[in-house]
Amino acid sequence: MKKFIIGILLGILSIVFLAGCSASVSEDDLKANDWTIEPYEEDVPNMIASFSDHVMTINVDVDSIESTATDEWEQMGEDFAKELASEMDFKLEYTLDDDQITLQDTDNEDESNIFDVSEEDDNITFTPIDDESDDDTETIVLESRDSEED
Protein backbone atom coordinates (compact mmCIF):
# COMPACT_ATOMS: atom_id res chain seq x y z
CA MET A 1 0.00 0.00 0.00
CA LYS A 2 2.85 2.35 0.90
CA LYS A 3 4.59 1.69 -2.46
CA PHE A 4 1.30 2.35 -4.27
CA ILE A 5 0.88 5.77 -2.62
CA ILE A 6 4.51 6.69 -3.25
CA GLY A 7 4.10 5.63 -6.90
CA ILE A 8 1.02 7.83 -7.31
CA LEU A 9 2.78 10.80 -5.68
CA LEU A 10 5.81 10.36 -7.94
CA GLY A 11 3.52 10.13 -10.98
CA ILE A 12 1.74 13.36 -10.02
CA LEU A 13 5.04 15.13 -9.37
CA SER A 14 6.44 14.07 -12.72
CA ILE A 15 3.31 15.28 -14.54
CA VAL A 16 3.50 18.62 -12.72
CA PHE A 17 7.21 18.86 -13.53
CA LEU A 18 6.68 18.08 -17.23
CA ALA A 19 3.78 20.52 -17.51
CA GLY A 20 5.82 23.23 -15.80
CA CYS A 21 8.74 22.69 -18.18
CA SER A 22 6.72 22.81 -21.38
CA ALA A 23 7.81 25.61 -23.66
CA SER A 24 5.36 28.42 -24.14
CA VAL A 25 5.01 30.34 -27.39
CA SER A 26 6.89 33.64 -27.44
CA GLU A 27 6.64 36.74 -29.64
CA ASP A 28 9.90 35.64 -31.29
CA ASP A 29 8.24 32.32 -32.23
CA LEU A 30 5.34 34.20 -33.83
CA LYS A 31 7.62 36.66 -35.66
CA ALA A 32 9.98 33.92 -36.89
CA ASN A 33 7.82 32.98 -39.90
CA ASP A 34 4.92 33.91 -42.05
CA TRP A 35 2.07 31.52 -41.32
CA THR A 36 -0.63 29.85 -43.41
CA ILE A 37 -4.13 29.59 -41.96
CA GLU A 38 -6.27 27.03 -43.76
CA PRO A 39 -10.02 27.65 -43.34
CA TYR A 40 -12.43 24.93 -42.26
CA GLU A 41 -14.82 25.77 -45.11
CA GLU A 42 -14.29 24.79 -48.71
CA ASP A 43 -14.20 27.49 -51.38
CA VAL A 44 -12.53 29.89 -48.94
CA PRO A 45 -8.92 30.79 -49.70
CA ASN A 46 -6.09 30.29 -47.26
CA MET A 47 -4.90 33.29 -45.30
CA ILE A 48 -1.33 34.39 -44.59
CA ALA A 49 -0.56 35.71 -41.11
CA SER A 50 2.56 37.62 -40.14
CA PHE A 51 3.52 39.11 -36.81
CA SER A 52 5.47 42.19 -35.78
CA ASP A 53 5.68 43.82 -32.38
CA HIS A 54 2.08 43.59 -31.13
CA VAL A 55 0.49 43.60 -34.63
CA MET A 56 -0.82 40.55 -36.50
CA THR A 57 -1.39 41.17 -40.22
CA ILE A 58 -3.62 38.83 -42.21
CA ASN A 59 -3.66 38.72 -46.03
CA VAL A 60 -5.48 36.52 -48.53
CA ASP A 61 -3.26 33.81 -50.04
CA VAL A 62 -4.23 34.41 -53.67
CA ASP A 63 -2.10 31.46 -54.78
CA SER A 64 -4.52 29.13 -52.96
CA ILE A 65 -7.50 30.34 -55.04
CA GLU A 66 -8.33 27.88 -57.80
CA SER A 67 -9.47 29.23 -61.12
CA THR A 68 -12.97 28.43 -62.36
CA ALA A 69 -12.75 30.57 -65.50
CA THR A 70 -14.16 29.08 -68.67
CA ASP A 71 -13.03 31.82 -71.05
CA GLU A 72 -10.56 34.69 -71.27
CA TRP A 73 -13.05 37.29 -69.95
CA GLU A 74 -13.71 35.28 -66.82
CA GLN A 75 -9.96 34.77 -66.43
CA MET A 76 -9.40 38.53 -66.64
CA GLY A 77 -12.09 39.05 -63.98
CA GLU A 78 -10.49 36.46 -61.71
CA ASP A 79 -7.05 38.01 -62.19
CA PHE A 80 -8.48 41.43 -61.31
CA ALA A 81 -10.19 40.01 -58.19
CA LYS A 82 -6.96 38.29 -57.12
CA GLU A 83 -5.06 41.55 -57.54
CA LEU A 84 -7.59 43.38 -55.37
CA ALA A 85 -7.52 40.60 -52.75
CA SER A 86 -3.72 40.65 -52.62
CA GLU A 87 -3.82 44.35 -51.73
CA MET A 88 -6.21 43.87 -48.80
CA ASP A 89 -4.86 43.25 -45.34
CA PHE A 90 -6.41 43.06 -41.90
CA LYS A 91 -4.55 44.23 -38.84
CA LEU A 92 -5.14 42.95 -35.32
CA GLU A 93 -3.28 44.04 -32.24
CA TYR A 94 -2.19 41.14 -30.11
CA THR A 95 -1.10 40.74 -26.53
CA LEU A 96 0.72 37.56 -25.60
CA ASP A 97 0.54 36.72 -21.90
CA ASP A 98 1.99 33.33 -20.91
CA ASP A 99 -0.11 30.77 -22.82
CA GLN A 100 -2.88 33.17 -23.88
CA ILE A 101 -3.14 35.60 -26.75
CA THR A 102 -5.69 38.38 -27.08
CA LEU A 103 -6.51 39.52 -30.61
CA GLN A 104 -7.96 43.03 -30.75
CA ASP A 105 -9.52 44.50 -33.91
CA THR A 106 -7.72 47.79 -34.64
CA ASP A 107 -10.83 49.27 -36.27
CA ASN A 108 -13.27 48.22 -33.53
CA GLU A 109 -11.95 48.30 -29.99
CA ASP A 110 -15.01 46.40 -28.73
CA GLU A 111 -14.07 43.36 -30.79
CA SER A 112 -11.49 41.06 -29.21
CA ASN A 113 -10.99 37.33 -28.76
CA ILE A 114 -8.84 35.43 -26.29
CA PHE A 115 -7.15 32.18 -27.24
CA ASP A 116 -5.00 29.59 -25.51
CA VAL A 117 -1.73 29.30 -27.45
CA SER A 118 0.18 26.06 -27.88
CA GLU A 119 2.93 24.77 -30.11
CA GLU A 120 2.57 21.41 -31.84
CA ASP A 121 5.47 20.31 -34.04
CA ASP A 122 6.14 23.32 -36.30
CA ASN A 123 2.57 24.64 -35.97
CA ILE A 124 1.08 27.08 -33.48
CA THR A 125 -2.53 26.60 -32.39
CA PHE A 126 -4.91 29.26 -31.08
CA THR A 127 -7.78 27.58 -29.19
CA PRO A 128 -10.65 29.93 -28.28
CA ILE A 129 -11.51 30.47 -24.65
CA ASP A 130 -15.27 30.19 -24.35
CA ASP A 131 -16.00 33.03 -21.96
CA GLU A 132 -17.61 35.85 -23.95
CA SER A 133 -16.02 34.85 -27.27
CA ASP A 134 -18.11 34.71 -30.43
CA ASP A 135 -19.85 31.45 -31.31
CA ASP A 136 -18.22 31.72 -34.76
CA THR A 137 -14.71 31.66 -33.30
CA GLU A 138 -12.87 28.46 -34.23
CA THR A 139 -9.49 27.00 -33.46
CA ILE A 140 -6.82 28.62 -35.62
CA VAL A 141 -3.83 26.55 -36.75
CA LEU A 142 -0.81 28.51 -37.95
CA GLU A 143 1.38 26.42 -40.27
CA SER A 144 4.86 27.67 -41.00
CA ARG A 145 5.13 28.90 -44.60
CA ASP A 146 8.91 28.27 -44.59
CA SER A 147 8.34 24.51 -44.32
CA GLU A 148 5.64 24.60 -47.07
CA GLU A 149 7.92 26.31 -49.58
CA ASP A 150 10.73 23.75 -49.23
Side-chain angles (χ1 to χ4, degrees):
M1 182 70 164
K2 190 176 184 180
K3 288 183 181 181
F4 178 73
I5 293 173
I6 291 173
I8 289 177
L9 289 174
L10 286 174
I12 292 171
L13 285 175
S14 62
I15 289 172
V16 169
F17 177 74
L18 289 174
C21 292
S22 65
S24 60
V25 177
S26 69
E27 281 189 26
D28 290 336
D29 294 332
L30 295 172
K31 294 189 292 186
N33 302 309
D34 283 342
W35 304 92
T36 296
I37 302 171
E38 292 184 10
Y40 290 101
E41 302 164 11
E42 291 184 34
D43 300 330
V44 176
N46 294 346
M47 303 300 273
I48 300 171
S50 58
F51 292 82
S52 62
D53 293 331
H54 304 290
V55 176
M56 175 184 180
T57 304
I58 301 175
N59 299 27
V60 176
D61 182 4
V62 293
D63 294 334
S64 71
I65 300 173
E66 294 184 23
S67 176
T68 58
T70 57
D71 61 34
E72 65 185 57
W73 288 102
E74 286 181 4
Q75 185 63 48
M76 285 176 36
E78 282 185 1
D79 291 343
F80 179 70
K82 284 182 180 182
E83 185 65 32
L84 284 177
S86 69
E87 299 297 322
M88 295 175 26
D89 62 353
F90 306 96
K91 296 200 182 288
L92 302 169
E93 290 185 24
Y94 73 92
T95 306
L96 190 60
D97 187 24
D98 293 328
D99 290 335
Q100 290 187 347
I101 190 166
T102 302
L103 300 178
Q104 174 77 42
D105 188 346
T106 57
D107 295 330
N108 185 355
E109 294 182 14
D110 295 332
E111 292 290 322
S112 68
N113 290 302
I114 302 172
F115 298 87
D116 283 328
V117 180
S118 60
E119 190 170 13
E120 299 170 15
D121 300 324
D122 291 335
N123 301 335
I124 295 177
T125 303
F126 293 176
T127 306
I129 297 176
D130 290 330
D131 62 320
E132 298 183 33
S133 65
D134 295 338
D135 292 337
D136 297 340
T137 307
E138 297 177 346
T139 299
I140 300 170
V141 178
L142 304 174
E143 298 175 3
S144 172
R145 288 188 61 82
D146 290 344
S147 63
E148 290 178 5
E149 296 170 357
D150 292 343

